[in-house]
């Protein structure tokens, strides 16, 4: 009984605190946006997309969806995933629970099911357990089968802390300079091999991260 009560308290309090912390950080940081025309064009034309970013940048991404309220965030079915899902709900975004324990096939089925809806999808293609910054094939399979574009997203900042987790999770510090960067939508080309498509997505995500890092360097700052 005590354990169930503590879990209930944890799931009630932590997401609210996390949402307040994220909002507070966002207000006091100096934020720039790069390539925001790409997601805005998709939102204005009501074209659902697949937003992809690395797992270590998860904390601040909830502030980076640029008006796309019709989206679903794919989150693992772990206890940590439940905390993240409830934090997303506090910001008004839907969360769909997957499970790494069921394997890649079940995760792919879940993503394809979501791709049949009108909602955009948010996926961390190196999650939930890594390897860090290594693209798993599920996101390109969903893009290929659904015809949706993959929009690379990234968040970088000048000051913060990297945790010792597998993804080196990023916690920005207050008053740091932060940058959200969006890459050009990447569509599957008919007849293209999955390997070639995956390579293009990997290159797009890497280039987008370099763009964000270069933007900070233009201010004489280094990305944490």
């Amino acid at each position: 009984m005590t354990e169930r009560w503590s879990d209930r308290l944890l799931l009630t309090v932590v997401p609210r605190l996390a949402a307040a912390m994220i909002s507070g950080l966002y207000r006091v940081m100096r934020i720039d946006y790069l390539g925001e025309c790409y997601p805005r064009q998709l939102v204005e034309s009501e074209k659902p997309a697949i937003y992809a970013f690395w797992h270590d940048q998860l904390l601040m991404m909830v502030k980076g969806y640029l008006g796309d309220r019709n989206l679903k965030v794919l989150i693992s079915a772990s206890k940590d995933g439940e905390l993240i899902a409830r934090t997303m709900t506090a910001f008004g975004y839907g969360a769909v629970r997957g499970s790494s324990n069921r394997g890649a096939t079940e995760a792919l089925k879940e993503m394809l099911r979501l791709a049949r809806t009108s909602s955009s999808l948010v996926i961390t293609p190196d999650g939930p357990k890594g390897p860090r910054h290594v693209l798993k094939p599920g996101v390109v399979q969903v893009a290929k089968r659904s015809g949706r574009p993959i929009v690379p997203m990234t968040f970088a900042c000048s000051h913060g802390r990297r945790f010792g987790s597998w993804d080196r999770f990023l916690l920005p510090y207050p008053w740091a300079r932060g940058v959200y960067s969006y890459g050009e939508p990447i569509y599957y080309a008919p007849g293209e091999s999955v390997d070639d498509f995956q390579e293009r997505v990997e290159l797009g995500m890497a280039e987008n991260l370099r763009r964000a890092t270069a933007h900070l360097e233009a201010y004489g700052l280094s990305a944490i």
Side-chain angles (χ1 to χ4, degrees):
M1 178 68 72
T2 302
E3 184 178 357
R4 288 198 297 269
W5 170 251
S6 64
D7 286 346
R8 192 178 304 116
L9 182 64
L10 180 73
L11 292 172
T12 300
V13 174
V14 171
R16 294 179 182 178
L17 291 176
M21 181 190 69
I22 293 168
S23 296
L25 279 172
Y26 183 81
R27 283 195 295 269
V28 300
M29 291 179 69
R30 296 165 293 173
I31 301 290
D32 297 323
Y33 291 86
L34 306 176
E36 66 267 34
C37 61
Y38 298 126
R40 288 196 188 282
Q41 288 170 356
L42 293 170
V43 172
E44 290 170 1
S45 60
E46 298 183 348
K47 292 181 179 179
I50 301 171
Y51 299 104
F53 57 86
W54 301 126
H55 197 275
D56 61 300
Q57 302 160 9
L58 179 64
L59 184 70
M60 297 303 296
M61 280 303 187
V62 70
K63 289 292 189 178
Y65 298 133
L66 297 178
D68 192 344
R69 306 300 302 182
N70 185 25
L71 54 79
K72 301 290 185 183
V73 184
L74 186 65
I75 300 172
S76 72
S78 64
K79 181 180 289 186
D80 288 345
E82 181 63 23
L83 294 172
I84 296 171
R86 294 193 180 206
T87 303
M88 295 299 102
T89 300
F91 284 100
Y93 291 109
V96 176
R97 311 303 303 280
S99 174
S100 58
N101 294 329
R102 292 182 298 174
T105 300
E106 289 300 321
L108 177 60
K109 288 180 180 179
E110 178 67 6
M111 288 188 284
L112 288 172
R113 184 189 68 79
L114 291 172
R116 291 193 291 269
T117 71
S118 61
S119 299
S120 291
L121 307 181
V122 178
I123 298 173
T124 54
D126 59 344
K129 296 181 179 179
R132 181 178 187 265
H133 290 195
V134 174
L135 191 78
K136 294 179 180 177
V139 64
V140 297
Q141 289 285 356
V142 175
K144 175 186 175 183
R145 299 188 192 185
S146 68
R148 293 184 176 201
I150 296 174
V151 179
M153 292 179 63
T154 200
F155 174 82
C157 67
S158 59
H159 297 86
R161 178 184 175 185
R162 290 282 185 180
F163 288 88
S165 54
W166 68 265
D167 61 349
R168 298 186 63 230
F169 191 80
L170 173 62
L171 174 65
Y173 286 160
W175 296 287
R177 180 172 291 277
V179 54
Y180 290 95
S181 184
Y182 309 84
E184 186 173 354
I186 305 170
Y187 289 86
Y188 172 73
E192 182 179 25
S193 73
V194 173
D195 288 343
D196 287 346
F197 182 37
Q198 181 164 333
E199 183 177 357
R200 286 201 295 119
V201 175
E202 289 173 338
L203 289 173
M205 293 187 70
E207 176 57 31
N208 195 42
L209 181 56
R210 283 194 293 269
R211 186 183 305 116
T213 300
H215 183 79
L216 292 174
E217 291 173 348
Y219 289 98
L221 303 170
S222 297
I224 185 66

